[in-house]
C-alpha cells in the first residue's frame, strides 16, 4: 500500500447557515488533524455553561476543509481511497464533484477515489456536526468531549492493488487454532498469504484463494502452543495478510470469553471486572486522542488504581485505544451511541444504529480487548427488536459478550435470552446491587442508609430464591417516570416480578460520591474549554464568606468519598455471585450538572486524596477483607472479625492471612488465620477475635496481609465505658452537670448547652456524601415529584477545638460520627461569620454555611439530639467533652 499523509495545513470555511453550495473562498487556515475549536477558529462563544464545560469557540454547522492533493501516476494506477479516521457527518468533493457522504460517528470514513487521473486535484471535505442520525450518546455530547467539528486521527490517501479490510479473528485456545475472515477489496480474485507469528515463533503460514465479492474465510491450525491473552497476561500474536505485496498486519489474542451461570470466565478461568465508566473526556483538546502514547498513558493510570475494564457510555474509542488496551490487558465494552427507546419497528435512526454496530465490529472486532458490547445506555422499548439486534451481531462476531444495554428498563429489569451478561443497578425493587442511588431512584443504597460496616453482601440479593414476590411500580396508564439524562420522561413499562439471573452480574455506574471542587484545577483548563462552573462556584463561595475554607472542604469531603468508594467496592469484592462493577467514576465528569465524583480530576490527574497503592488495597485482583459489623467498640469488648479474600489470578487455598493490631500506631497483638474454604474467587479464612482495653478513647488499626500478595487495614474506634447520663434536659457525669435547653436566650443567660429543635425546613444530617451532583438531581426530583436530595458532603471538623478535647477525631467524617450526624439536623448559619467547630459541608452550588457544633458568642450550640443516642459509647464521650468544656471552671 502506498500512503500519502494529508495531515498539515488546510484551508477552511465555517458556515453556521449550512449553505449547500461549495464555498467560493476559504478565509481561515487549520492544521489537521484537529477540531475547529481547538484551533481557535470561529467567533468567541458568548454563552457561559454551568452544567458542563464551556467551549470557547463552539461551532455547529458546516466546516469546509480544502486543499490541493497530488496523485502520482503510480497511485492513480491502483485502487485509491481517502481515509478519515474519526470525524462527524462528512461529504467529500473532488474537483467540484460530490464523491459521497458518510455519517458514522464511531468508525473511519472511507471514500473511493479510484479512477482519478494523475496530477493535482482540489479536495474539499465538508464536516457537519448537526442533525445527527441519532440523538443520544456521549460521542456528540457537550457533557463529555464537546460537540466538536473537525477531523482527528489519520487523514490519508491509500493506494493499493488489493487490500484486506475488516479483518476478524476468532481464536480457539482449546484447539490452538484461529478462524480468519476478511473482505478483500480492490481485486476480483487471487491468492492471499496468511502468516501467524510473534517475536518467538511463526505459528503458521498458509496460502488461500479468494474470489470476487466473497469474504475470505479460513481456519488456521497453529504449529506451536500459542500463549493466551487475558488482563493478567496480555500476550499478543500477529496476523499478516499479504496479497501480491500489499500487506496488512493486525494483532489478536488467543482468548475465549464465556460464562458458567453467573461466573464470568476468561480462557475457562474465573475473572472479575473492576471497571470504570468512560465518556471520552479530554479537556485539553475537547476530543479524544488517536495516538497510542496517549491511550497507553490513560490505561496505565487506570491500571495503577487496579482497574482492568472500561465501559464506554454510548460511545466507541478509536483504534489506538483498542491497541493500547490489547497491550496492557484491559477489557473494553464499547456501546452503540444510543440512549432512548427501541421502537416496535426500526426507522431511520435505529437502522443507522444497527449499521453503526456492524461498523464498530468490522473495524475493531479483531482486538482481544474488545471483549463486550452493549446496545446503549438505559434503554426502553421493544425487547424483541433488542434481542434480534444482539442475535445478529452474535451470529457473526461470537467471541464477544453482549448485553441489550446498560441498566435497561431501570425499575423493571430483565435478562433477554440473547444476553451474555447483565449490567444494572437492581434486580427488583429492594434487590439493590450497588451502594448509592439518587433520591429519584429510591430506595437508596446501603452506603447511604446503613451504619458503616464491612459485612454487606450482594449474594442474597442476586440469588432470586432470597427475594420472592413482585412490586407494581407503574401508574394507572401502565407508565413509569424515569430519569433520562439530565431530565425526566414517562415510558411504558410492565410491572415486574423479581427476575432470575443466570448470566454474569455487573453492577452499573457504582459510586457517584460527590467531592467539593478543587479550585486550583481552574488554571489547568488551557485548551479550548473552560470550567466556568468552577469559576462561578469560587465566586459564590467568596460572596458567601467561605472561600477561605474551600481547600478544607475539598480534603474533608474527599476523604469521606474515598471511604464510601472503598466500602462500595469491598462489598462487590465480598459478593461471590457478582462478576464485576463499573465505577462512575474514578475520574471527574465535567457535564450533566458537573459531577466532581472522581479521585482523579477530569484530566486524569490525582487529586491527592488517596494514593494508587492505598486504592489497590481494596481494588485489585487479589484483596484481603475484614468482616466487621461496625467500626466503633467499647473498651474490653470482644471484637469478632471474619476474614475473606478475593482473587482470580492466585490460588489462595491453604495460604495464611497474617494480622496485626495497632493501638495509636503501636503494635499490641498479632496472629494468623488459615484460609480453609473457597467459593469461586472468594475465599474464607478462620475468624479472629481480640479486645482493646483503654482508659481513654483510642484508635486501633487492624492490618491484614497474605504474604506479599495483598494487604489491607481497618481503623477501629475504642471507647472506655463511662458513667455519663444524657437526657433531653441535661448531661451529667459524677458531680458535673450541664443543662440542655432548646431556647437560645436561656443558653445565653445560664451557660446551658443549646440544642435547637430544628423543624423539617432544615436539612437532615446525612453521613454519606451527596450523589453525583446536587443541581442535576434536585431538578430531576422536582420534576418527578420525588424528595429533593439533601446535598451535603460530610463534615469538616476542627479536631483541635477545646470543645472536642475529650473526643479525639480526624478532621473529616469517620464512623464515630455516624449517630451524631444521623440524629441531627443542620443549623443554617448563612449570613453570619460563625466558624463552626463541626461544619456540615454544603455543595458548591447552594453553598450554605451549615453547622453541627458551633459557638455563637458564649453559647455552645449542638444540633445532635444526644438523648436519642445516649447509650452509644462514642456519644457519651462527645457529651463528656462538651460537659468538661462548659464546666471547665
Amino acid at each position: 500500500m502506498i500512503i500519502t499523509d494529508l495531515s498539515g495545513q488546510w484551508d477552511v470555511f465555517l458556515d453556521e447557515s449550512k449553505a449547500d453550495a461549495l464555498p467560493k473562498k476559504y478565509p481561515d487556515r487549520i492544521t489537521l488533524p484537529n477540531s475547529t475549536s481547538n484551533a481557535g477558529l470561529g467567533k468567541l462563544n458568548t454563552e457561559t455553561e454551568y452544567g458542563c464545560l464551556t467551549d470557547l469557540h463552539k461551532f455547529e454547522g458546516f466546516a469546509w476543509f480544502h486543499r490541493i492533493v497530488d496523485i502520482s501516476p503510480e497511485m492513480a494506477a491502483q485502487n485509491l481511497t481517502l481515509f478519515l479516521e474519526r470525524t462527524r457527518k462528512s461529504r467529500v468533493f473532488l474537483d467540484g464533484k460530490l464523491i459521497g457522504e458518510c455519517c458514522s460517528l464511531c468508525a473511519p470514513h472511507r471514500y473511493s477515489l479510484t479512477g482519478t487521473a494523475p496530477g493535482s486535484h482540489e479536495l474539499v471535505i465538508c464536516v457537519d456536526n448537526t442533525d445527527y442520525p441519532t440523538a443520544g450518546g456521549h460521542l456528540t455530547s457537550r457533557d463529555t468531549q464537546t460537540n466538536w467539528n473537525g477531523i482527528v486521527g489519520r487523514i490519508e490517501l491509500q493506494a493499493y492493488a488489493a487490500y484486506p479490510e475488516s479483518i476478524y479473528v476468532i481464536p480457539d485456545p482449546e484447539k490452538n487454532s484461529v478462524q480468519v475472515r476478511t473482505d478483500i477489496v480492490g481485486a476480483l480474485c487471487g491468492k492471499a498469504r496468511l502468516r501467524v507469528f510473534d517475536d518467538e515463533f511463526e505459528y503458521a503460514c498458509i496460502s488461500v484463494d479468494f474470489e470476487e465479492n466473497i469474504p475470505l474465510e479460513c481456519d488456521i491450525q497453529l504449529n506451536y502452543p500459542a500463549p493466551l491473552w487475558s488482563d493478567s497476561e496480555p500476550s499478543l500474536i500477529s496476523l499478516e495478510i499479504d496479497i501480491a505485496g500489499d500487506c496488512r498486519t493486525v494483532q489478536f489474542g488467543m482468548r475465549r470469553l464465556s460464562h458458567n451461570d453467573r461466573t464470568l470466565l476468561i480462557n475457562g478461568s474465573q475473572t472479575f471486572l473492576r471497571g470504570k465508566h468512560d465518556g471520552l473526556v479530554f479537556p485539553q483538546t475537547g476530543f479524544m486522542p488517536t495516538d497510542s502514547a496517549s491511550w497507553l498513558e490513560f490505561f496505565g493510570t487506570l491500571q495503577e488504581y487496579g482497574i482492568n475494564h472500561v465501559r464506554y457510555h454510548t460511545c466507541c474509542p478509536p483504534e489506538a485505544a483498542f491497541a493500547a488496551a490489547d497491550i496492557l490487558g484491559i477489557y473494553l465494552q464499547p456501546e452503540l451511541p444510543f440512549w432512548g427507546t427501541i421502537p416496535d419497528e426500526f426507522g431511520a435512526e435505529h437502522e443507522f444504529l444497527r449499521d453503526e454496530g456492524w461498523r464498530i465490529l468490522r473495524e475493531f472486532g479483531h482486538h482481544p480487548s474488545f471483549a463486550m458490547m452493549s446496545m446503549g445506555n438505559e434503554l426502553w422499548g421493544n425487547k424483541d427488536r433488542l434481542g434480534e439486534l444482539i442475535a445478529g451481531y452474535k451470529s457473526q462476531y461470537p467471541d464477544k459478550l453482549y448485553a441489550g444495554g446498560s441498566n435497561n428498563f431501570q425499575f423493571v429489569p430483565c435478562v433477554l435470552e440473547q444476553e451474555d451478561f447483565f449490567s444494572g443497578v437492581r434486580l427488583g425493587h429492594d434487590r439493590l446491587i450497588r451502594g448509592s442511588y439518587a433520591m429519584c431512584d429510591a430506595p437508596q443504597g446501603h452506603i447511604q442508609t446503613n451504619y458503616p460496616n464491612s459485612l454487606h453482601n450482594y449474594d442474597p440479593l442476586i440469588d432470586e430464591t432470597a427475594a420472592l414476590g413482585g412490586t407494581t411500580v407503574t401508574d394507572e396508564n401502565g407508565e413509569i417516570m424515569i430519569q433520562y439524562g439530565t431530565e425526566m420522561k414517562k415510558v411504558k413499562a410492565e410491572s415486574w416480578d423479581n427476575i432470575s439471573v443466570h448470566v454474569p452480574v455487573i453492577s452499573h455506574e457504582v459510586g457517584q460520591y460527590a467531592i467539593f471542587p478543587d479550585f486550583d484545577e481552574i488554571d489547568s483548563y488551557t485548551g479550548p474549554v473552560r470550567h466556568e462552573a468552577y469559576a462561578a462556584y469560587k465566586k459564590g463561595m467568596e460572596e458567601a464568606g467561605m472561600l477561605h475554607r474551600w481547600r478544607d472542604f475539598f480534603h474533608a469531603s474527599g476523604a469521606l468519598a474515598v471511604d464510601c468508594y472503598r466500602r462500595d467496592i469491598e462489598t462487590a469484592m465480598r459478593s461471590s455471585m457478582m462478576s464485576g462493577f463499573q465505577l462512575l467514576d474514578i475520574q471527574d465528569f465535567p457535564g450533566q450538572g458537573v459531577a466532581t465524583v472522581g479521585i482523579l480530576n477530569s484530566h486524569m490527574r490525582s487529586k491527592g486524596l488517596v494514593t494508587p497503592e492505598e486504592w489497590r488495597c481494596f481494588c485489585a485482583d487479589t484483596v484481603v477483607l475484614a468482616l466487621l459489623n461496625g467500626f466503633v467498640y467499647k473498651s474490653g469488648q470482644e471484637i469478632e472479625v471474619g476474614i475473606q479474600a478475593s482473587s482470580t489470578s492466585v490460588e489462595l487455598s491453604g495460604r495464611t492471612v497474617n494480622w496485626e493490631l495497632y493501638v495509636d500506631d503501636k503494635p499490641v497483638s498479632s496472629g494468623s488465620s488459615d484460609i480453609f474454604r473457597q467459593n469461586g474467587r472468594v475465599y474464607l479464612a478462620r475468624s479472629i477475635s481480640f479486645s482493646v482495653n483503654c482508659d481513654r478513647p483510642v484508635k486501633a488499626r487492624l492490618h491484614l496481609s497474605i504474604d506479599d500478595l495483598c494487604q489491607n487495614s481497618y481503623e477501629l474506634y475504642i471507647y472506655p465505658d463511662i458513667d455519663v447520663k444524657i437526657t433531653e434536659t441535661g448531661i451529667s457525669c459524677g458531680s458535673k452537670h450541664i443543662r440542655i435547653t432548646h431556647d437560645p436566650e436561656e443558653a445565653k443567660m445560664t451557660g446551658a448547652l443549646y440544642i435547637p429543635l430544628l423543624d423539617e425546613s432544615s436539612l437532615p444530617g446525612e453521613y454519606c456524601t451527596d450523589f453525583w451532583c446536587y443541581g442535576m438531581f434536585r431538578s430531576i426530583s422536582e420534576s418527578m415529584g420525588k424528595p429533593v436530595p439533601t446535598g451535603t458532603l460530610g463534615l469538616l471538623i476542627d479536631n483541635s477545638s477545646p470543645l472536642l478535647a475529650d473526643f479525639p477525631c480526624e478532621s473529616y467524617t469517620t464512623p464515630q460520627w455516624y449517630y451524631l450526624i444521623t440524629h441531627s439536623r443542620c443549623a443554617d448559619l448563612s449570613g453570619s461569620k460563625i466558624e463552626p467547630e463541626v461544619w456540615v459541608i454544603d455543595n458548591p452550588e447552594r453553598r450554605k454555611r451549615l453547622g453541627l457544633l458551633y459557638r455563637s458568642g458564649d453559647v455552645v450550640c449542638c444540633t445532635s439530639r444526644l438523648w436519642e443516642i445516649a447509650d452509644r459509647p462514642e456519644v457519651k464521650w462527645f457529651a463528656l467533652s462538651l460537659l468538661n468544656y462548659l464546666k471547665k471552671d
Side-chain angles (χ1 to χ4, degrees):
M1 177 181 282
I2 303 171
I3 294 176
T4 297
D5 183 2
L6 298 183
S7 65
Q9 190 175 87
W10 290 61
D11 308 321
V12 63
F13 170 64
L14 303 184
D15 181 15
E16 289 180 316
S17 70
K18 303 197 298 185
D20 229 9
L22 284 166
K24 295 180 179 179
K25 294 182 179 180
Y26 298 88
D28 294 315
R29 304 290 177 269
I30 188 172
T31 300
L32 294 178
N34 207 347
S35 73
T36 58
S37 178
N38 195 44
L41 297 180
K43 59 188 179 184
L44 193 65
N45 185 7
T46 58
E47 297 179 23
T48 299
E49 300 282 3
Y50 296 109
C52 60
L53 298 176
T54 297
D55 189 341
L56 294 181
H57 291 273
K58 176 183 175 182
F59 170 76
E60 293 183 344
F62 289 174
W64 297 87
F65 302 97
H66 168 273
R67 69 168 290 170
I68 301 300
V69 296
D70 293 318
I71 298 175
S72 67
E74 185 181 11
M75 295 182 74
Q78 302 187 66
N79 298 288
L80 190 61
T81 295
L82 172 65
F83 178 91
L84 311 176
E85 182 173 356
R86 186 65 67 102
T87 184
R88 304 311 203 181
K89 294 160 53 184
S90 69
R91 289 181 291 160
V92 168
F93 300 80
L94 192 67
D95 298 328
K97 179 184 176 182
L98 177 65
I99 299 298
E101 58 186 49
C102 183
C103 60
S104 178
L105 301 172
C106 298
H109 294 199
R110 292 181 174 90
Y111 291 92
S112 175
L113 304 183
T114 300
T116 301
S120 296
H121 297 269
E122 183 182 36
L123 176 64
V124 176
I125 304 171
C126 179
V127 177
D128 177 12
N129 64 340
T130 67
D131 303 322
Y132 292 113
T134 184
H138 284 336
L139 268 176
T140 56
S141 169
R142 65 178 188 166
D143 292 300
T144 51
Q145 57 174 327
T146 76
N147 183 28
W148 54 270
N149 192 316
I151 307 170
V152 301
R154 292 156 50 209
I155 308 171
E156 299 172 346
L157 285 177
Q158 302 172 344
Y160 50 89
Y163 185 69
E165 227 175 48
S166 63
I167 298 174
Y168 178 51
V169 181
I170 305 176
D172 189 335
E174 294 178 357
K175 294 181 180 179
N176 197 42
S177 65
V178 295
Q179 183 184 101
V180 177
R181 183 174 74 231
T182 184
D183 297 318
I184 307 297
V185 294
L188 301 181
C189 60
K191 191 177 290 291
R193 175 175 166 270
L194 286 76
R195 187 167 73 100
V196 181
F197 63 96
D198 62 17
D199 291 338
E200 293 188 45
F201 297 101
E202 181 177 87
Y203 295 98
C205 186
I206 65 171
S207 293
V208 180
D209 294 327
F210 65 87
E211 300 178 25
E212 181 182 7
N213 297 326
I214 300 176
L216 183 156
E217 295 187 40
C218 64
D219 293 321
I220 304 177
Q221 184 64 50
L222 306 185
N223 296 323
Y224 306 98
L228 301 179
W229 187 96
S230 68
D231 61 322
S232 59
E233 295 184 83
S235 300
L236 291 172
I237 301 172
S238 296
L239 168 66
E240 177 189 82
I241 301 180
D242 184 339
I243 305 169
D246 277 325
C247 291
R248 183 183 176 192
T249 301
V250 298
Q251 290 190 309
F252 69 94
M254 292 295 286
R255 64 110 172 97
R256 179 173 178 265
L257 286 157
S258 60
H259 69 92
N260 179 10
D261 198 64
R262 302 184 185 102
T263 301
L264 181 62
L265 303 174
I266 176 75
N267 303 323
S269 299
Q270 185 171 10
T271 192
F272 186 83
L273 302 179
R274 304 177 303 280
K276 82 173 285 287
H277 152 290
D278 198 79
L280 298 172
V281 173
F282 293 94
Q284 282 304 104
T285 58
F287 58 84
M288 76 200 85
T290 55
D291 63 291
S292 296
S294 294
W295 285 102
L296 286 169
E297 180 182 6
F298 179 86
F299 291 130
T301 298
L302 294 182
Q303 282 191 323
E304 289 179 12
Y305 289 88
I307 300 297
N308 70 347
H309 165 55
V310 180
R311 171 241 169 173
Y312 283 93
H313 183 304
T314 57
C315 59
C316 178
E319 168 69 23
F322 287 98
D326 291 346
I327 292 169
L328 296 178
I330 306 288
Y331 300 111
L332 301 186
Q333 178 191 318
E335 203 164 77
L336 293 185
F338 185 55
W339 190 348
T341 299
I342 302 293
D344 293 339
E345 299 296 333
F346 278 12
E349 178 181 17
H350 295 88
E351 290 295 348
F352 163 80
L353 289 165
R354 187 203 304 271
D355 292 344
E356 192 77 336
W358 288 119
R359 286 188 283 264
I360 291 170
L361 288 162
R362 282 195 290 265
E363 195 67 35
F364 310 114
H366 62 278
H367 288 282
S369 59
F370 188 166
M372 306 155 75
M373 187 174 179
S374 163
M375 305 302 104
N377 180 69
E378 296 180 349
L379 305 182
W380 291 83
N382 192 298
K383 297 173 184 175
D384 292 335
R385 299 293 83 76
L386 199 54
E388 290 167 4
L389 193 62
I390 299 171
Y393 296 149
K394 190 184 289 191
S395 69
Q396 296 298 309
Y397 293 85
D399 71 315
K400 309 187 190 314
L401 302 181
Y402 296 87
S406 298
N407 198 34
N408 281 4
F409 306 102
Q410 294 183 19
F411 286 96
V412 285
C414 67
V415 178
L416 302 179
E417 177 185 350
Q418 298 86 353
E419 289 185 294
D420 298 307
F421 66 97
F422 173 85
S423 173
V425 303
R426 54 168 50 86
L427 299 170
H429 185 267
D430 297 311
R431 291 171 67 190
L432 309 181
I433 54 172
R434 72 180 189 194
S436 59
Y437 296 79
M439 286 297 294
C440 62
D441 291 332
Q444 292 194 298
H446 66 98
I447 302 295
Q448 296 166 306
T449 59
N450 289 4
Y451 178 62
N453 68 83
S454 58
L455 284 178
H456 195 86
N457 193 299
Y458 296 127
D459 285 351
L461 303 169
I462 295 172
D463 183 358
E464 68 278 4
T465 61
L468 302 175
T471 302
T472 299
V473 295
T474 57
D475 63 19
E476 66 276 6
N477 299 315
E479 294 181 325
I480 184 173
M481 189 84 74
I482 65 161
Q483 175 203 343
Y484 179 69
T486 60
E487 301 172 349
M488 44 73 66
K489 69 176 183 178
K490 278 192 171 185
V491 295
K492 285 286 186 182
E494 300 171 1
S495 298
W496 70 35
D497 289 318
N498 283 293
I499 63 172
S500 175
V501 182
H502 293 281
V503 294
V505 174
I506 314 297
S507 188
H508 166 85
E509 296 186 354
V510 170
Q512 307 188 47
Y513 299 111
I515 300 168
F516 198 88
D518 175 4
F519 293 148
D520 284 344
E521 191 186 330
I522 294 172
D523 293 338
S524 68
Y525 287 85
T526 58
V529 296
R530 295 292 183 269
H531 212 319
E532 298 295 350
Y534 272 20
Y537 293 160
K538 185 176 181 180
K539 181 180 179 182
M541 288 291 289
E542 184 175 23
E543 292 171 350
M546 297 187 291
L547 183 60
H548 64 293
R549 303 312 300 261
W550 79 260
R551 201 181 302 275
D552 299 324
F553 290 167
F554 162 66
H555 285 290
S557 62
L560 174 59
V562 168
D563 186 61
C564 291
Y565 274 113
R566 171 188 175 161
R567 290 191 288 120
D568 217 339
I569 291 170
E570 286 194 354
T571 305
M573 303 300 285
R574 284 191 296 271
S575 304
S576 64
M577 293 185 184
M578 184 165 278
S579 286
F581 58 82
Q582 297 164 341
L583 296 175
L584 182 58
D585 196 346
I586 200 171
Q587 174 190 14
D588 278 350
F589 191 92
Q592 289 186 231
V594 181
T596 49
V597 295
I599 59 166
L600 308 178
N601 65 24
S602 297
H603 303 276
M604 289 290 287
R605 297 174 190 146
S606 172
K607 295 181 178 181
L609 301 171
V610 59
T611 67
E613 294 77 15
E614 290 167 337
W615 186 269
R616 288 200 308 273
C617 288
F618 52 86
C619 183
D621 178 76
T622 303
V623 296
V624 60
L625 308 163
L627 308 183
L628 291 152
N629 62 7
F631 302 101
V632 178
Y633 297 93
K634 292 181 180 179
S635 172
Q637 179 181 350
E638 193 76 7
I639 301 174
E640 297 282 345
V641 184
I643 299 176
Q644 283 184 340
S646 174
S647 182
T648 60
S649 64
V650 180
E651 175 59 53
L652 299 180
S653 295
R655 290 183 182 257
T656 297
V657 177
N658 296 307
W659 63 272
E660 297 89 28
L661 182 67
Y662 299 83
V663 174
D664 289 342
D665 292 327
K666 297 177 182 178
V668 297
S669 186
S670 64
S672 62
S673 174
D674 296 332
I675 294 174
F676 71 96
R677 186 184 300 167
Q678 180 181 0
N679 183 11
R681 64 177 171 80
V682 177
Y683 296 79
L684 184 64
R686 302 191 185 280
S687 298
I688 63 173
S689 65
F690 52 81
S691 62
V692 176
N693 294 293
C694 56
D695 57 7
R696 58 179 177 81
V698 297
K699 182 169 69 174
R701 178 168 59 90
L702 175 63
H703 181 264
L704 306 176
S705 62
I706 304 176
D707 301 328
D708 58 354
L709 294 173
C710 58
Q711 60 177 334
N712 208 347
S713 293
Y714 297 81
E715 292 185 342
L716 310 175
Y717 303 89
I718 315 297
Y719 291 90
D721 194 16
I722 51 175
D723 186 21
V724 170
K725 292 182 171 54
I726 308 169
T727 68
E728 190 172 352
T729 60
I731 301 170
S732 60
C733 180
S735 61
K736 287 187 176 182
H737 176 81
I738 58 168
R739 177 170 167 71
I740 291 176
T741 180
H742 311 312
D743 181 353
E745 290 303 318
E746 180 184 352
K748 186 175 181 179
M749 292 176 60
T750 65
L753 174 64
Y754 174 48
I755 300 184
L757 296 180
L758 300 172
D759 60 24
E760 295 294 318
S761 65
S762 61
L763 295 170
E766 287 195 355
Y767 183 85
C768 185
T769 189
D770 191 31
F771 181 87
W772 189 246
C773 76
Y774 173 74
M776 172 177 153
F777 277 107
R778 179 202 64 214
S779 175
I780 292 173
S781 290
E782 289 171 347
S783 299
M784 297 177 70
K786 298 287 184 72
V788 170
T790 299
T792 52
L793 309 177
L795 305 180
L796 170 64
I797 305 157
D798 179 3
N799 55 3
S800 64
S801 167
L803 288 177
L804 299 174
D806 296 301
F807 190 73
C809 56
E810 308 292 346
S811 60
Y812 50 85
T813 313
T814 54
Q816 68 201 105
W817 286 94
Y818 177 81
Y819 286 103
L820 292 164
I821 294 170
T822 56
H823 287 260
S824 75
R825 300 190 76 86
C826 303
D828 186 352
L829 308 174
S830 302
S832 76
K833 293 185 178 180
I834 293 173
E835 296 276 322
E837 269 72 10
V838 179
W839 290 80
V840 179
I841 304 169
D842 199 15
N843 66 78
E845 180 176 333
R846 187 176 55 198
R847 49 187 174 269
K848 288 182 176 291
R849 183 183 292 257
L850 302 174
L852 184 150
L853 179 65
Y854 58 96
R855 285 177 282 188
S856 178
D858 294 329
V859 176
V860 175
C861 310
C862 172
T863 67
S864 292
R865 301 179 298 278
L866 303 178
W867 57 91
E868 295 177 356
I869 44 178
D871 292 335
R872 294 291 310 176
E874 68 274 29
V875 174
K876 289 183 179 182
W877 278 90
F878 178 80
L880 177 65
S881 193
L882 298 182
L883 172 64
N884 287 340
Y885 174 81
L886 288 168
K887 289 294 183 180
K888 57 182 176 293
D889 296 330

